[in-house]
Amino acid sequence: MNIKIGILGYGNIGRGVETALRDNPDMELAAVFTRRDPSQVKILSENVPVISVSEIEAWKDKIDVLLLCGGSATDLPQQTPFYAKMFNVVDTFDTHAKVPAHFAAVDRSAKENGKIAIISVGWDPGLFSLSRLYGNVILPDGKDYTFWGKGVSQGHSDAIRRIKGVKNAKQYTCPVESAMRAVRNGENPELTTREKHIRECFVVLEDGADAAYVEKQIKTMPNYFAGYHTVVHFISEEEFDRNHQGLAHGGFVFRSGNTGKEKEHKHIIEFSLKLDSNPEFTTHVMAAYARAAARMAREGQTGCKTVFDIPPAYLSEKSGEKLRSSML
Amino acid sequence: MNIKIGILGYGNIGRGVETALRDNPDMELAAVFTRRDPSQVKILSENVPVISVSEIEAWKDKIDVLLLCGGSATDLPQQTPFYAKMFNVVDTFDTHAKVPAHFAAVDRSAKENGKIAIISVGWDPGLFSLSRLYGNVILPDGKDYTFWGKGVSQGHSDAIRRIKGVKNAKQYTCPVESAMRAVRNGENPELTTREKHIRECFVVLEDGADAAYVEKQIKTMPNYFAGYHTVVHFISEEEFDRNHQGLAHGGFVFRSGNTGKEKEHKHIIEFSLKLDSNPEFTTHVMAAYARAAARMAREGQTGCKTVFDIPPAYLSEKSGEKLRSSML
């Protein structure tokens, strides 16, 4: 019997889940829940109802796993503990510093209600976290390096758009090639986040705006750009619309370590992603972890889990036997 | 209390385990077991006994996990099911085609005796298998590519050494750069193992041997070299001893897949290793899985497991809380 999936929130992530389920024939979309007027939400799937979130409780027994597709800033800290009372849930909570508090709240709620909740699913946190963990346990004497990009940083793009005179803007985070090369060569450099990344900005100005002023405001913005190698390009609205609508992203995780009697041997573990669509890739990761959530729930497991707790085989619809003969 | 480790077999792998344990302070080497005369086996560690394998049964309750450091061709098919009767064990069984039979034999033996056995630990099978699994579940609509090298193939080196007139030889398997580039570009090429690899051979001839004959014998050798792009270098014994003693290896696993309404988005997942010492890296992977074996045994789990069955957190000595706050 197929795993019945609910989507809560129909933005980029919700739409991504919907297409991801098409690639996973053992799962099916049961319903989309929205805070908007359901009659105004047009989804891709035929014969799948769009339901007001106010009626979600009636679906308690009709859904195996609810995928929470809201944002980490305000939605998920509320939603995940709340919906883990009624459903097995998966979220993409990605505020690294707040993971412990989020985990505690979700764990309490899920355990009290006999549900499974898998949080912080995606690629960072998610697959990158797994790479860091495998790298650290295999090469305890070593260093970690995470590079992001090339990809759009939504928060930084928003920050530029708040500057007076800016009509539209997109900020790309790009890894510094020479820093990556040093890591690949096993040089074990000391690198701050600022030394590992360039911030490249594409800005459309309002009519009559002062380019020099805008550029200075960007480059000196505390926390966001000050201290970074920041490149600003002013472009036309046409060029912006033509070339900067994408949601590509990616990044690299390295573990560089030494082994041997005299620590004479170097080893480099490298994991990287090159993604045309950040939300679609993220939601494909979610779909695989939804499968694991359904299996853990069937086994009677409860509480909050992360990617660290899930045996890799639980992500696959294939039997252990089939996995061993085809992929080991 | 530290995890007490036994090593069975003191070759490259056994010696690698010994140095790996020094990087893992929660584990300690309790004894090395050998088929040779123990008085002739000199190990690195002080105050650790070297014991004849004939006396291993007396160590049943003094060792938490026994690491089996023999070869896959003849040792492990016998040893792993046999020692899983007395010990929790980890092996590096790497004959992909024979994994199902090996698993079945080990599982039966471990279950009957209440032990945990983790087989096929290392990097391929092992970390590469994990990359294939994660890649497949996340991008179900995609293709896998595994490239090996640059690294020494022991079996191919041996095959060259059997040719009349060859004094010594080393064969390196090298990935074809243009094939890797096509994969990284998302071109999804159809590639056989032969199209992905070059076989580079360094050969020392016996005095008076016929180089042309040897080269032809190599290049036309069925299964091993015929059909491969094979390069043969004849070198002096001095050069061989100076430059070809290393045990470096590595490789690449790609998953190239598509997502989206019209499958319009490409994604590339890449995992790679660059290793100065194949046996030392392999044994560092074994050490991490020995920790998982000890934990599963404490929990009362039994039977045969592979890397697919082990929750990543079980590989670390850190608590779940610590892992979430430091690596997620």
Side-chain angles (χ1 to χ4, degrees):
Chain A
M1 201 156 76
N2 278 355
I3 300 166
K4 292 189 174 52
I5 301 289
I7 290 173
L8 175 58
Y10 197 69
N12 277 338
I13 295 288
R15 283 193 297 271
V17 169
E18 189 178 21
T19 57
L21 294 178
R22 297 176 168 208
D23 286 339
N24 289 280
D26 60 329
M27 295 189 236
E28 63 181 63
L29 182 58
V32 171
F33 302 95
T34 179
R35 289 178 290 197
R36 293 178 270 169
D37 173 356
S39 70
Q40 301 303 307
V41 176
K42 189 90 194 88
I43 69 171
L44 200 62
S45 309
E46 287 170 19
N47 306 319
V48 172
V50 179
I51 311 281
S52 167
V53 76
S54 62
E55 295 166 37
I56 197 170
E57 203 168 344
W59 289 75
K60 258 169 71 92
D61 303 316
K62 295 181 207 161
I63 281 174
D64 296 308
V65 188
L66 182 66
L67 272 51
L68 302 175
C69 303
S72 294
T74 56
D75 296 334
L76 298 176
Q78 306 296 325
Q79 288 179 348
T80 315
F82 182 77
Y83 291 106
K85 295 177 186 173
M86 288 178 258
F87 298 95
N88 302 307
V89 297
V90 175
D91 83 14
T92 60
F93 187 75
D94 67 359
T95 314
H96 293 262
K98 294 183 179 168
V99 163
H102 188 59
F103 182 93
V106 175
D107 192 49
R108 196 163 45 239
S109 164
K111 277 198 180 126
E112 281 173 12
N113 295 279
K115 299 297 179 191
I116 276 283
I118 310 182
I119 62 162
S120 301
V121 169
W123 57 276
D124 195 6
L127 301 185
F128 276 21
S129 319
L130 286 169
S131 289
R132 288 186 283 262
L133 174 51
Y134 282 113
N136 273 267
V137 298
I138 292 163
L139 296 173
D141 179 15
K143 284 172 75 78
D144 292 308
Y145 297 92
T146 302
F147 291 83
W148 293 278
K150 182 183 176 176
V152 177
S153 168
Q154 213 48 63
H156 287 75
S157 302
D158 292 346
I160 299 173
R161 279 194 292 266
R162 285 191 295 263
I163 297 170
K164 190 167 151 14
V166 172
K167 188 167 187 185
N168 212 342
K170 208 106 182 200
Q171 194 267 177
Y172 298 90
T173 302
C174 310
V176 173
E177 288 294 335
S178 59
M180 285 220 289
R181 205 158 42 235
V183 172
R184 280 204 187 101
N185 287 342
E187 296 169 20
N188 288 351
E190 293 290 337
L191 293 168
T192 64
T193 302
R194 281 159 205 234
E195 289 165 336
K196 288 190 293 182
H197 298 97
I198 290 170
R199 298 204 170 279
E200 194 171 14
C201 313
F202 292 84
V203 179
V204 182
L205 293 173
E206 304 274 10
D207 283 346
D210 178 349
Y213 167 82
V214 168
E215 182 161 351
K216 192 174 168 211
Q217 290 300 106
I218 294 172
K219 289 188 167 177
T220 58
M221 195 185 296
N223 302 318
Y224 284 85
F225 295 98
Y228 275 93
H229 181 195
T230 302
V231 179
V232 180
H233 307 277
F234 293 102
I235 60 172
S236 69
E237 191 154 21
E238 292 68 39
E239 187 182 337
F240 190 91
D241 292 344
R242 193 169 61 242
N243 296 334
H244 300 284
Q245 297 303 316
L247 295 166
H249 216 314
F252 301 79
V253 178
F254 294 89
R255 180 73 178 176
S256 172
N258 288 74
T259 69
K261 211 162 76 172
E262 315 288 346
K263 293 295 167 77
E264 66 276 29
H265 295 130
K266 286 182 184 182
H267 306 275
I268 310 278
I269 306 175
E270 178 173 345
F271 177 78
S272 70
L273 296 173
K274 202 169 78 186
L275 313 175
D276 274 0
S277 165
N278 184 355
E280 281 178 12
F281 187 82
T282 298
T283 50
H284 271 71
V285 183
M286 286 181 93
Y289 280 91
R291 183 181 290 120
R295 178 162 164 188
M296 295 171 101
R298 279 199 306 276
E299 292 178 350
Q301 297 194 48
T302 66
C304 188
K305 309 286 177 189
T306 74
V307 295
F308 294 156
D309 305 306
I310 315 294
Y314 278 44
L315 303 172
S316 175
E317 86 290 3
K318 293 196 172 74
S319 68
E321 203 173 346
K322 180 83 189 156
L323 287 177
R324 286 189 295 274
S325 66
S326 63
M327 287 187 209
L328 196 70
Chain B
M1 200 155 76
N2 278 356
I3 300 166
K4 292 189 176 51
I5 300 290
I7 290 173
L8 176 58
Y10 197 68
N12 277 338
I13 295 289
R15 282 194 298 273
V17 169
E18 189 178 21
T19 58
L21 295 179
R22 296 175 168 209
D23 286 339
N24 290 281
D26 61 329
M27 294 188 237
E28 64 182 61
L29 182 57
V32 171
F33 301 95
T34 179
R35 288 178 289 196
R36 292 178 271 169
D37 173 356
S39 70
Q40 301 305 307
V41 177
K42 188 89 195 89
I43 69 170
L44 200 62
S45 310
E46 288 170 18
N47 306 317
V48 171
V50 179
I51 311 282
S52 167
V53 76
S54 62
E55 294 165 36
I56 198 170
E57 203 168 346
W59 288 76
K60 259 171 71 95
D61 301 318
K62 297 181 204 161
I63 280 174
D64 295 309
V65 188
L66 181 67
L67 272 53
L68 303 175
C69 302
S72 294
T74 55
D75 297 333
L76 298 175
Q78 306 296 325
Q79 289 179 349
T80 315
F82 182 77
Y83 291 107
K85 294 179 187 173
M86 288 178 256
F87 297 96
N88 302 306
V89 297
V90 175
D91 83 13
T92 60
F93 187 77
D94 67 357
T95 314
H96 293 261
K98 294 184 179 168
V99 164
H102 188 59
F103 182 93
V106 174
D107 192 49
R108 196 163 46 239
S109 164
K111 276 198 181 127
E112 280 172 11
N113 296 278
K115 300 296 178 192
I116 277 283
I118 309 182
I119 62 162
S120 301
V121 169
W123 57 275
D124 195 5
L127 301 184
F128 275 20
S129 319
L130 286 169
S131 289
R132 288 186 282 263
L133 173 51
Y134 282 112
N136 273 267
V137 298
I138 292 163
L139 297 173
D141 179 15
K143 284 172 76 75
D144 291 308
Y145 298 92
T146 302
F147 290 85
W148 294 277
K150 181 182 176 177
V152 177
S153 169
Q154 212 50 63
H156 286 75
S157 303
D158 292 345
I160 299 174
R161 279 193 292 267
R162 285 192 295 264
I163 297 171
K164 191 168 150 12
V166 172
K167 187 167 188 186
N168 212 341
K170 208 104 181 200
Q171 194 268 175
Y172 298 90
T173 303
C174 310
V176 173
E177 288 294 335
S178 59
M180 286 221 288
R181 206 158 41 235
V183 172
R184 281 206 187 97
N185 287 343
E187 295 168 21
N188 289 351
E190 293 289 339
L191 293 168
T192 63
T193 302
R194 281 159 204 233
E195 289 165 335
K196 288 189 293 183
H197 299 97
I198 291 169
R199 299 204 171 277
E200 194 171 13
C201 313
F202 292 85
V203 179
V204 182
L205 292 174
E206 305 272 13
D207 283 347
D210 178 349
Y213 166 83
V214 169
E215 181 161 351
K216 192 175 169 210
Q217 290 301 105
I218 294 172
K219 290 189 168 176
T220 58
M221 195 185 295
N223 302 319
Y224 285 85
F225 295 98
Y228 276 93
H229 179 194
T230 302
V231 179
V232 180
H233 308 277
F234 293 103
I235 60 173
S236 70
E237 191 153 20
E238 292 68 38
E239 187 182 337
F240 190 90
D241 291 344
R242 195 171 57 242
N243 296 335
H244 299 285
Q245 296 304 315
L247 296 165
H249 217 314
F252 301 79
V253 177
F254 294 89
R255 180 74 179 175
S256 172
N258 289 74
T259 69
K261 210 162 79 171
E262 314 290 345
K263 293 293 167 77
E264 67 276 29
H265 295 129
K266 286 183 184 181
H267 307 275
I268 311 278
I269 306 174
E270 177 174 347
F271 177 78
S272 70
L273 296 173
K274 201 170 77 187
L275 312 175
D276 273 0
S277 165
N278 184 356
E280 282 179 11
F281 187 82
T282 298
T283 51
H284 270 71
V285 183
M286 286 181 94
Y289 280 92
R291 183 181 290 121
R295 179 162 165 186
M296 295 170 101
R298 280 198 305 277
E299 293 177 351
Q301 297 194 48
T302 66
C304 189
K305 309 285 175 186
T306 73
V307 295
F308 294 157
D309 304 307
I310 315 294
Y314 277 45
L315 303 172
S316 174
E317 85 292 2
K318 293 196 172 74
S319 68
E321 203 174 346
K322 180 81 189 163
L323 287 177
R324 286 188 295 274
S325 65
S326 63
M327 288 187 208
L328 197 70

